[in-house]
Amino acid sequence: MTENKASEDKPPILGTWNKMYIVVLVAHFVIISLFILFTNLYA
Amino acid sequence: MHIVDWLVLIGTMLAIIGYGIYKTRKINNVKSYLLGDKDLPWWTIGLSIMATQASAITFLSTPGKAYEDGLGFAQFYFGLPVAMVILCIFILPVYYKLNVYTAYEYLEQRFDNRARMLTAFLFLIQRGLAAGITIFAPAIILSNIMKWDLNLTIILTGAVVILYTVLGGTKAVSVTQKQQMIIILIGMFIAAIIIVFKFPADLSFKDSLSLAGKMEKLQVVDFTFNLDKRYTFWSGMLGGVFLFLSYFGTDQSQVQRYLSGKSLSESRLGLLFNGIIKVPMQFLVLFVGVLVFMFFQFQRPPIHFNDANLIKVQQSEWASELDQLEKEFDIVFEDKMTSLDVLSAQIDSKDEAGIVQAKAAYELNLEKDLQIRSQVDSLIYKVDSDAILEDSDYVFITFIINYLPIGMIGLLLAVIFSAAMSSTASELNALATTTVIDIYKRNIKPEGTDQEYLRVSKIFTIAWGIIALSFAMMASLFDNLIEAVNIVGSIFYGTILGIFFVAFFFKKLTNSTRILSLFTMGLFLGIFSTSVLHSTFVETTFPMLYENDVPFVLLSMAIGGILGYWGSGTFFKPINGSSVIVGALIAQIIVIIIFTLDKFEFIDLSYLWLNLIGCVIVMFVSLLVQNFSSSPTLEKSGS
C-alpha cells in the first residue's frame, strides 16, 4: 500500500479519523463517569 | 455431565472449527497463510483482537477475582482505549505503508537486522512460554473439577488448535475467533441472567446490589495514588497505556490480527471497536463474579472451591478434622445469612445506625468464615505441601457445573474452550510467522520459493504447538509458573515498547518526539519520587514528607516533563541501531534489578509500572549513547 492511499483512507462515518478518535475517547470518558457514579451509588 | 451438555459442547466446537477449515480450504501461498489474503472486515478484526487477548483463564479467573476483591480489576483496562487511538494515529499507518508481515520487520528498515533479531527473540521467548500456560491454566482447572485427566485435556485442546491453525493459518484463526467471541459474549450474558433468577425470591436485583455495595464489592474506581496498589485509576490509565501500547503495537500475536485487515481503515476500525467494547466486556465478566458472590451468600458454598484438594484431605488421616470444620462452616453460614437478612432490612428502612450495626454483625461472621477456610487450607497443606491453596480460579467453574441448567453447562464450557483455543491459535500463528519471516527467511534461506515458505510455516506452527504442549504438560512440575510467566511478560514489554518508541519518534525531531518525552519523563519522575516517598526509610525518618507527598510528586512530575521536553529538543540526535541495542540491554538489566528489589520488598511497585520504566530507560539511554557515540546517525531534520 502506498503512503498516498494510506492517507486517503476515510472512516465510514464522521468524515475524519480525528473525529472518530474523539468519539472513542469521549465514549471512554462517559463509561468511566458511569463507573464512578455506580461506585458512589453503592458505596 | 448430561448428554445434552456434551452435545452442546462438542457441537459448538465442531461447528466453529469446521467453519474455520471450510473458509480457508483454498489457501495455497505463504502471504495468504500468514496475512490471510488481507480481506478481513473491521468487525472480524475487532472480535479477533478481543478473542486473542481473552484467554480461557480470563473467563475462569476474572469472575473469581471479582468474587474475592470486587470490581476494581476493571481499572486494569482503562488505558486500553487511549492506547488504541495512539496506535491508530502513529503505528498502524507505518505498518501499512511498509507492507510488513511482522512488527519486527519494521525495525530492520528503521535500524538494522540486529535490532530486528533482538526484538523478535525477546518476543519468541516470552510468547513461547505464554502459549504453554494459555493451554495449561484452564486445563488444570477443568481437569480438577470435571475429573478429566490433565494431560489428556491438554493434548486434546492443543491438538485441535494445532490442527486448524496449521490447515488455515491466520485466516482460520481470525474467522474462528469471530464465532468464538460471539459464543463467549452470549454465554456470559445468559449466565448473568440465570444467576439473578437463582437469587432468593425475596431478594430483588436492586437489593442484591445494595448488599454487594455494603460488602464493598462494587467499587469500580479507586483514585488512590499508591504505587504498590495493583489496580487503581492511575495505574490503569497511565501504566496501562504503556502495557497496551506494547501488547497491541509490538506483540506479533496482536499485530498479525490487524495486519490481515482489508485496508488501513478496516484495521483502524477494528482497533477502535476493541477500544470501545473491551472495558464494558471486562466489567460484564467481573459483574458475573459479583453475582456469583451474592448467590453464594444465600446458597452454602463449598468450604474450599478446588474439589481435588478436598478429596485429598478426605482420603487422609485428617478427614475427621475436615468433617468437623464442615459442621462449623454450616453454622457460620446460617449465622451469616441471618445477619445479611437483617442488613437487607436495615438498608430498606434506610436506618444508618442499624446498617452499621448489621454490617458489623455480618463482618464478624465473615471473619469466622475466613478463619474456617484458613484452617481448611492448613489441612490441605499438611496433606500436600505442593497443593495450590488459592481457590478463587475455581469459583466460577464450580458454579457452572453445580448450578447452571442442562445445556447451559455445555455452552459455558464451550465458552471456556473457545477462549483457550482462540488465544492459543493466535500465539502459535504469531510464533510461526516470526520464526519464518524474521529468522528463517531473513537469515537462513532468503531465496526460497513461496511453496517452500508455506511448507516451513506449517512445520513451525506444528513445532511451536508441540513446544507449547510439552511446556503445558511440564508446567505442574514448577511452582508459581503462571506468576513467573506474567513477570517475564511485564519485564520484557517495556523494553520492546521502548525500542519501538525510539524507532517511531526518534528518527527526526518533531513535536511528537518532544510531547512523548514530556509525558514519559514526567510520569517516570513522578513514579520514582512516589516510590522514594513511600519507602520505609522516608516513612520513619521524614514522616512529614511521607504524609504530605502529593506536592512533591506533582513537583517532580513537572520537573520531569520540563526536562523531557527540553532535553529531547536540545540533545536530539537521530538514533541508530547500535545505540538502541545498548539502550535496550541496559534498560532490561535495570528493569530486572528493580523487579528484584520489589520482589525482596526493598521497594513497593506494581508490575504495571515496569512497562513505563523499561520504555523510558530505553529512550533515555539510547539518546545518551547516541550523543556520546562516534557512530553515524541518520540525517537530522527539524519539525
Side-chain angles (χ1 to χ4, degrees), chain B residues 487-637:
Chain B
I487 290 162
V488 169
S490 57
I491 287 174
F492 286 126
Y493 267 147
T495 307
I496 294 176
L497 183 64
I499 296 171
F500 274 87
F501 267 5
V502 169
F504 280 110
F505 298 109
F506 285 77
K507 189 175 181 182
K508 55 183 180 180
L509 183 61
T510 64
N511 282 335
S512 302
T513 316
R514 302 186 81 163
I515 290 168
L516 177 76
S517 305
L518 181 149
F519 274 111
T520 49
M521 277 303 283
L523 275 175
F524 181 74
L525 274 196
I527 289 167
F528 180 75
S529 61
T530 311
S531 191
V532 171
L533 288 167
H534 285 203
S535 65
T536 316
F537 173 75
V538 174
E539 187 182 356
T540 50
T541 320
F542 306 104
M544 277 289 285
L545 280 177
Y546 178 80
E547 285 158 18
N548 302 293
D549 57 341
V550 175
F552 293 100
V553 173
L554 290 176
L555 181 68
S556 45
M557 284 177 85
I559 292 171
I562 293 165
L563 278 176
Y565 191 83
W566 170 78
S568 61
T570 311
F571 299 104
F572 181 83
K573 271 189 176 183
I575 292 171
N576 65 21
S578 300
S579 302
V580 81
I581 287 173
V582 174
L585 292 174
I586 289 175
Q588 203 54 77
I589 292 166
I590 293 175
V591 167
I592 291 169
I593 290 170
I594 291 173
F595 171 75
T596 312
L597 290 173
D598 178 62
K599 190 79 183 160
F600 289 101
E601 298 179 356
F602 288 108
I603 57 170
D604 287 324
L605 196 72
S606 165
Y607 73 92
L608 273 175
W609 297 110
L610 290 177
N611 297 287
L612 171 66
I613 293 169
C615 178
V616 171
I617 296 173
V618 174
M619 289 160 57
F620 181 75
V621 176
S622 303
L623 195 58
L624 202 68
V625 171
Q626 191 67 57
N627 269 278
F628 287 102
S629 159
S630 56
S631 59
T633 66
L634 296 164
E635 191 188 347
K636 182 175 174 177
S637 57

Side-chain angles (χ1 to χ4, degrees), chain B residues 28-55:
Chain B
N28 58 4
N29 63 76
V30 73
K31 191 172 182 185
S32 299
Y33 189 78
L34 298 180
L35 290 178
D37 286 331
K38 290 195 137 201
D39 63 350
L40 297 180
W42 64 268
W43 60 85
T44 303
I45 297 168
L47 290 172
S48 178
I49 287 169
M50 288 168 75
T52 297
Q53 191 184 13
S55 67

